[in-house]
Amino acid sequence: MARLLTLVSLLFLSVASQVAASPCVAFDADWNLYAFGFNGNDYNASSSSSWASGTATSVTTSGRPPFDGTNTTCYLSQFYNAIYVLNGDSENPSDVHLFDPTAKSWTTQTTTGGPNVSYSAVLDHDTNVFYVLDVTGELWFLSFTNLTTAAQSSAIPWTNVEAAGFNTASYQPVMALADNHVYFLNAPGVAGGSAEIFVIHFSWFQPTTQSYGDFSAQHGQTASIFLPANEGVQLAFAYVPDDGSATYVIDVISNTTVTMAGPSTKDSGATYFASDAAIVQLTSSGAVNYIPYTNSSADTSASWSSVKNLVSVAPTSSAGSSSKTGTASAGSSSSTSGTSSGSSSGSNSNGAPGMSAKSGSVVVGMMSALLLGTIAIFIS
Ligand SMILES: *[C@@H]1O[C@H](CO)[C@@H](O)[C@H](O)[C@H]1NC(C)=O
Ligand SMILES: *[C@@H]1O[C@H](CO)[C@@H](O)[C@H](O)[C@H]1NC(C)=O
């Protein structure tokens, strides 16, 4: 009996840790590094000169999203110094949360229509518009043009742009933003070193791919590399393939690629965010690491270090590993935004496995834990 109860409480514990396991990291426009959703708290790790020691400052406050969505992602609106959060609330996946780092306050923007935003999105620098490629290969946008650091009272509708100008069958998007263009890496049939391009200002898919030199053709993660304030739009982005073998910095003006060291922690579940001078990795077990970036020849010999002032507040590694278990269950392609693009229902299976499955599997997990609890009580 006691053993059974222990088993049941262990189940409860592992289920509970899944709920809080969708953190993200982001910079504000002054290059303070924030860690959101770390064991239910948010932290300001300050600028890179503070990362080597000490403890980040808690900035947890009311109005924050629970950071329990599927693949919660964070974005910097550099012009307005605002951080936007997509998919931060599993119960309201179409909400976008806005954090004002100056006022340290949150507001929630409701949206209507649109794709499952747990997929892959970018935020354009100059127009303040999000772009998402959905599982059917349709591109969507969500305009925050009229917002700055706070939500407006009326909902903002997602707008369907058009079908991607390239073959998206079985494509798990690897999207990047620089120079007000969206880059799609590892698209079907496109060799390593090249990308498909969407030109935002003309709302147009460039008919030919562009070569950038040498990088591997793999699924991976990207992070726009910002320029200092008032120096304009990002002109490069980092790309880390899932195998963590390298950190590529792709310059979209010279169309060249610099190869930097791959992260020390090879983690296909890691996410990345860059400032003007560092590329930061958040691993799926909650560790935060960075490599300095100087846009000089020093970059090829730079190495990765831990952001030490986040170590003591990092999500426990058990939370990270159980969240992986949670996401690994069979994916449902149902749209979590409450509306579908019209053609997504079962038409193809190129969606990422596990999409929108995490919150579902948490619920299933909780129900089985409850059921086991009931059985345990019944046996007693
Ligand atoms: C870089 O690529 C873009 C997009 O294809 C192209 O418009 C531009 O002319 C290229 N620049 C150079 C220097 O090749
Ligand atoms: C969510 O993240 C996991 C780990 O990075 C990834 O395998 C999965 O494809 C992502 N799901 C979506 C829908 O992007």
Side-chain angles (χ1 to χ4, degrees):
M1 179 62 216
R3 221 180 295 160
L4 190 51
L5 278 180
T6 311
L7 176 69
V8 169
S9 33
L10 275 176
L11 267 169
F12 268 115
L13 277 177
S14 80
V15 163
S17 62
Q18 284 182 14
V19 175
S22 209
C24 71
V25 292
F27 283 99
D28 69 14
D30 300 315
W31 314 127
N32 297 302
L33 176 65
Y34 289 81
F36 296 106
F38 274 32
N39 289 327
N41 288 294
D42 309 322
Y43 295 92
N44 179 355
S46 196
S47 58
S48 58
S49 59
S50 301
W51 295 347
S53 63
T55 306
T57 309
S58 173
V59 291
T60 313
T61 188
S62 60
R64 66 190 290 281
F67 289 95
D68 63 353
T70 305
N71 295 356
T72 302
T73 48
C74 292
Y75 303 83
L76 167 63
S77 173
Q78 189 186 20
F79 272 155
Y80 302 122
N81 192 17
I83 292 170
Y84 304 148
V85 180
L86 293 187
N87 231 40
D89 178 356
S90 61
E91 287 180 9
N92 299 289
S94 60
D95 284 356
V96 183
H97 295 85
L98 293 78
F99 179 66
D100 176 343
T102 312
K104 297 186 178 57
S105 62
W106 290 94
T107 52
T108 303
Q109 179 63 53
T110 54
T111 72
T112 54
N116 181 335
V117 293
S118 76
Y119 209 58
S120 183
V122 295
L123 176 67
D124 183 44
H125 185 276
D126 289 0
T127 60
N128 219 31
V129 171
F130 287 100
Y131 284 88
V132 170
L133 186 71
D134 77 11
V135 293
T136 68
E138 289 288 324
L139 191 71
W140 296 77
F141 77 76
L142 178 72
S143 175
F144 271 29
T145 300
N146 297 320
L147 302 187
T148 55
T149 53
Q152 67 183 37
S153 53
S154 55
I156 301 179
W158 281 89
T159 303
N160 180 245
V161 183
E162 59 179 318
F166 56 91
N167 171 18
T168 58
S170 303
Y171 181 44
Q172 202 184 349
V174 183
M175 291 173 77
L177 187 283
D179 194 29
N180 305 312
H181 290 47
V182 188
Y183 304 86
F184 298 87
L185 309 190
N186 197 36
V190 177
S194 289
E196 298 280 359
I197 297 176
F198 178 74
V199 185
I200 290 173
H201 287 181
F202 299 106
S203 200
W204 176 75
F205 280 92
Q206 185 171 306
T208 53
T209 59
Q210 174 64 47
S211 164
Y212 295 94
D214 198 15
F215 56 78
S216 94
Q218 264 186 61
H219 184 262
Q221 302 290 329
T222 71
S224 257
I225 295 176
F226 287 85
L227 291 181
N230 307 319
E231 287 186 21
V233 65
Q234 305 96 312
L235 299 178
F237 63 90
Y239 158 60
V240 180
D242 280 347
D243 69 5
S245 53
T247 304
Y248 298 104
V249 174
I250 295 154
D251 180 317
V252 303
I253 303 302
S254 63
N255 299 337
T256 55
T257 298
V258 168
T259 305
M260 297 174 65
S264 315
T265 306
K266 315 290 179 206
D267 178 6
S268 62
T271 56
Y272 297 84
F273 206 106
S275 64
D276 61 340
I279 300 160
V280 174
Q281 176 198 46
L282 171 64
T283 72
S284 50
S285 64
V288 183
N289 305 303
Y290 75 101
I291 188 167
Y293 173 73
T294 56
N295 196 16
S296 76
S297 57
D299 291 337
T300 53
S301 51
S303 56
W304 288 81
S305 309
S306 165
V307 176
K308 293 205 181 69
N309 65 349
L310 283 169
V311 169
S312 67
V313 299
T316 53
S317 53
S318 63
S321 54
S322 55
S323 107
K324 284 213 96 159
T325 317
T327 5
S329 57
S332 133
S333 61
S334 66
S335 162
T336 55
S337 62
T339 52
S340 81
S341 63
S343 49
S344 66
S345 52
S347 56
N348 68 30
S349 58
N350 62 6
M355 176 166 60
S356 81
K358 188 159 79 181
S359 42
S361 66
V362 168
V363 171
V364 169
M366 278 182 165
M367 283 168 67
S368 9
L370 277 172
L371 189 63
L372 274 172
T374 314
I375 292 169
I377 289 159
F378 186 74
I379 289 172
S380 73

